[in-house]
C-alpha cells in the first residue's frame, strides 16, 4: 500500500513540474518572428529577448528586423503593452508598439522603419514560441 501512495505522490509531483516548464511568466527567451512589411517581402527569423540590466521595465531584443545578433532594440514593457521608442538599430530608425498575449507565447507588434535601403515602411510582426 505504501508503494502505491509513493507512486501516486511521485507522479503528481512529476506532472506538476512538467506543467510549470510549459508556462511562461515573461517575454525573456528565444522567439520566432514573422514580419510583413508594406515594402519588404515576408521574412521569418529568430530574435532573443533579455531583461535590460539598466531598468527592470526595459527589455533588449537582439536581431530585431533581422539586423544581426550584435544589434539591440530596447523596448518598454508595461503589463502586456510594449512601447518601442524611436531609436537607431543598425542602419534603421525604428519606433512602434504592440502587445503580449497573456500566456506569454505571442507578441504582436506594429512598427515603422526608416532608413537603410528600405526608406520608410510599416511592418506588422508576430513573434511566437511554443
Amino acid at each position: 500500500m505504501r508503494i502505491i501512495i509513493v507512486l501516486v505522490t511521485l507522479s503528481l509531483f512529476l506532472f506538476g513540474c512538467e506543467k510549470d516548464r510549459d508556462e511562461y511568466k515573461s517575454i525573456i527567451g528565444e522567439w520566432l518572428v514573422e514580419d510583413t512589411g508594406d515594402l519588404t517581402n515576408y521574412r521569418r527569423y529568430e530574435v532573443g529577448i533579455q531583461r535590460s540590466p539598466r531598468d527592470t521595465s526595459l527589455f533588449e531584443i537582439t536581431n530585431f528586423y533581422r539586423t544581426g545578433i550584435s544589434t539591440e532594440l530596447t523596448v518598454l514593457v508595461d503589463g502586456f503593452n510594449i512601447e518601442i521608442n524611436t531609436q537607431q538599430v543598425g542602419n534603421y530608425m525604428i519606433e512602434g508598439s504592440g502587445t503580449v498575449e497573456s500566456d506569454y507565447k505571442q507578441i504582436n507588434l506594429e512598427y515603422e522603419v526608416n532608413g537603410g535601403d528600405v526608406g520608410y515602411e510599416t511592418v506588422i510582426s508576430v513573434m511566437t514560441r511554443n
Side-chain angles (χ1 to χ4, degrees), residues 20 53-54 92:
D20 288 343
R54 298 179 303 262
Y92 306 99

Side-chain angles (χ1 to χ4, degrees), residues 13-59:
F13 175 75
L14 291 175
F15 287 118
C17 290
E18 185 67 32
K19 184 176 181 189
D20 288 343
R21 279 187 240 138
D22 291 340
E23 292 180 5
Y24 294 107
K25 306 215 183 321
S26 80
I27 63 171
I28 295 172
E30 301 298 316
W31 293 82
L32 177 64
V33 180
E34 295 181 343
D35 280 347
T36 306
D38 53 2
L39 296 177
T40 57
N41 294 328
Y42 164 85
R43 301 191 294 177
R44 190 173 185 178
Y45 58 96
E46 293 182 355
V47 298
I49 301 178
Q50 63 186 11
R51 188 174 299 278
S52 171
R54 298 179 303 262
D55 185 333
T56 60
S57 63
L58 297 176
F59 291 81

